[in-house]
Amino acid sequence: MFVLLQGKGMQMAICLDYELVEIRGTVAVYKFGNCLKELDGIFEIDLPKLISGEISMQAPIGEVVKLKNDNQSQAKAIKVFGKIYKHYLEHHEYPTKGGYYA
Protein backbone atom coordinates (compact mmCIF):
# COMPACT_ATOMS: atom_id res chain seq x y z
CA MET A 1 0.00 0.00 0.00
CA PHE A 2 1.19 3.54 -0.66
CA VAL A 3 1.88 5.99 2.15
CA LEU A 4 1.66 9.74 1.60
CA LEU A 5 3.17 12.24 4.00
CA GLN A 6 1.03 15.27 4.69
CA GLY A 7 2.18 17.78 7.23
CA LYS A 8 2.89 16.07 10.55
CA GLY A 9 0.55 13.12 9.93
CA MET A 10 0.53 10.25 7.50
CA GLN A 11 -2.39 9.25 5.34
CA MET A 12 -2.87 5.94 3.57
CA ALA A 13 -3.65 6.05 -0.12
CA ILE A 14 -6.80 4.36 -1.36
CA CYS A 15 -6.37 1.62 -3.94
CA LEU A 16 -9.42 -0.33 -5.10
CA ASP A 17 -9.89 -2.77 -7.98
CA TYR A 18 -13.14 -3.87 -9.57
CA GLU A 19 -14.25 -6.46 -12.09
CA LEU A 20 -17.49 -7.05 -13.96
CA VAL A 21 -19.12 -10.33 -12.92
CA GLU A 22 -22.22 -10.33 -15.12
CA ILE A 23 -24.79 -8.20 -16.91
CA ARG A 24 -28.48 -9.08 -16.54
CA GLY A 25 -30.50 -6.90 -18.89
CA THR A 26 -29.30 -3.40 -17.98
CA VAL A 27 -28.06 -4.35 -14.49
CA ALA A 28 -24.32 -4.88 -13.99
CA VAL A 29 -22.89 -6.86 -11.07
CA TYR A 30 -19.36 -5.98 -9.97
CA LYS A 31 -16.98 -7.44 -7.44
CA PHE A 32 -14.50 -5.06 -5.83
CA GLY A 33 -12.02 -4.71 -3.03
CA ASN A 34 -8.64 -3.43 -1.96
CA CYS A 35 -5.81 -3.74 -4.48
CA LEU A 36 -3.74 -6.93 -4.29
CA LYS A 37 -6.42 -8.62 -2.19
CA GLU A 38 -9.47 -10.73 -2.90
CA LEU A 39 -12.28 -8.79 -4.57
CA ASP A 40 -14.88 -9.86 -2.02
CA GLY A 41 -17.31 -6.94 -2.14
CA ILE A 42 -20.27 -7.19 -4.54
CA PHE A 43 -22.66 -4.52 -5.76
CA GLU A 44 -25.06 -4.01 -8.64
CA ILE A 45 -25.94 -0.91 -10.60
CA ASP A 46 -28.30 -0.03 -13.44
CA LEU A 47 -26.73 2.87 -15.31
CA PRO A 48 -29.15 2.98 -18.28
CA LYS A 49 -32.07 3.45 -15.86
CA LEU A 50 -30.13 6.07 -13.89
CA ILE A 51 -29.14 8.04 -16.99
CA SER A 52 -32.66 7.85 -18.49
CA GLY A 53 -34.19 9.13 -15.25
CA GLU A 54 -36.09 5.93 -14.48
CA ILE A 55 -33.96 5.88 -11.32
CA SER A 56 -33.87 9.42 -9.93
CA MET A 57 -30.53 11.19 -9.56
CA GLN A 58 -31.98 12.26 -6.19
CA ALA A 59 -32.44 8.64 -5.06
CA PRO A 60 -30.49 7.56 -1.97
CA ILE A 61 -27.09 6.20 -2.99
CA GLY A 62 -27.98 2.82 -1.51
CA GLU A 63 -30.71 2.51 -4.16
CA VAL A 64 -28.25 3.37 -6.94
CA VAL A 65 -25.26 1.34 -5.73
CA LYS A 66 -26.82 -1.76 -4.20
CA LEU A 67 -24.39 -3.65 -1.97
CA LYS A 68 -25.03 -7.40 -2.12
CA ASN A 69 -22.83 -8.32 0.86
CA ASP A 70 -21.09 -6.65 3.80
CA ASN A 71 -17.49 -7.56 2.92
CA GLN A 72 -16.65 -4.01 1.79
CA SER A 73 -18.02 -0.59 2.74
CA GLN A 74 -20.61 1.47 0.89
CA ALA A 75 -18.02 4.29 0.74
CA LYS A 76 -15.61 2.09 -1.22
CA ALA A 77 -18.42 0.95 -3.52
CA ILE A 78 -19.30 4.59 -4.24
CA LYS A 79 -15.70 5.38 -5.21
CA VAL A 80 -15.68 2.45 -7.64
CA PHE A 81 -19.14 3.45 -8.92
CA GLY A 82 -17.80 6.90 -9.84
CA LYS A 83 -15.15 5.36 -12.09
CA ILE A 84 -17.67 3.00 -13.72
CA TYR A 85 -20.17 5.83 -14.24
CA LYS A 86 -17.59 8.06 -15.98
CA HIS A 87 -16.52 5.19 -18.24
CA TYR A 88 -20.14 4.39 -19.10
CA LEU A 89 -20.92 8.00 -20.02
CA GLU A 90 -17.90 8.13 -22.32
CA HIS A 91 -18.07 4.66 -23.93
CA HIS A 92 -21.76 3.69 -23.51
CA GLU A 93 -20.81 0.33 -22.04
CA TYR A 94 -19.88 -1.12 -18.67
CA PRO A 95 -16.11 -1.49 -18.15
CA THR A 96 -14.92 -5.07 -17.62
CA LYS A 97 -12.42 -4.08 -14.95
CA GLY A 98 -10.47 -1.17 -13.56
CA GLY A 99 -9.35 0.59 -10.45
CA TYR A 100 -9.70 3.61 -8.23
CA TYR A 101 -6.49 5.14 -6.91
CA ALA A 102 -6.26 8.20 -4.68
Side-chain angles (χ1 to χ4, degrees):
M1 182 114 337
F2 310 102
V3 178
L4 302 174
L5 297 176
Q6 285 189 334
K8 294 180 182 178
M10 293 173 36
Q11 181 179 1
M12 296 293 282
I14 298 172
C15 182
L16 302 169
D17 285 329
Y18 59 88
E19 188 175 307
L20 181 64
V21 175
E22 68 176 328
I23 298 175
R24 294 185 317 268
T26 58
V27 176
V29 178
Y30 281 92
K31 60 183 180 178
F32 71 105
N34 294 324
C35 293
L36 305 176
K37 295 194 177 182
E38 181 182 357
L39 303 181
D40 60 355
I42 299 175
F43 68 86
E44 65 179 36
I45 53 177
D46 192 333
L47 291 180
K49 286 185 179 177
L50 182 67
I51 292 167
S52 73
E54 192 172 332
I55 297 173
S56 171
M57 289 286 206
Q58 305 302 317
I61 194 68
E63 292 178 20
V64 176
V65 181
K66 298 178 183 176
L67 280 180
K68 304 312 271 180
N69 65 22
D70 294 326
N71 295 336
Q72 297 287 339
S73 71
Q74 182 79 34
K76 289 179 181 179
I78 292 167
K79 291 180 186 320
V80 168
F81 166 77
K83 296 290 282 190
I84 295 168
Y85 182 75
K86 287 178 187 175
H87 180 278
Y88 192 92
L89 288 177
E90 185 176 333
H91 301 282
H92 307 289
E93 64 182 14
Y94 288 110
T96 56
K97 60 181 164 179
Y100 172 89
Y101 316 104

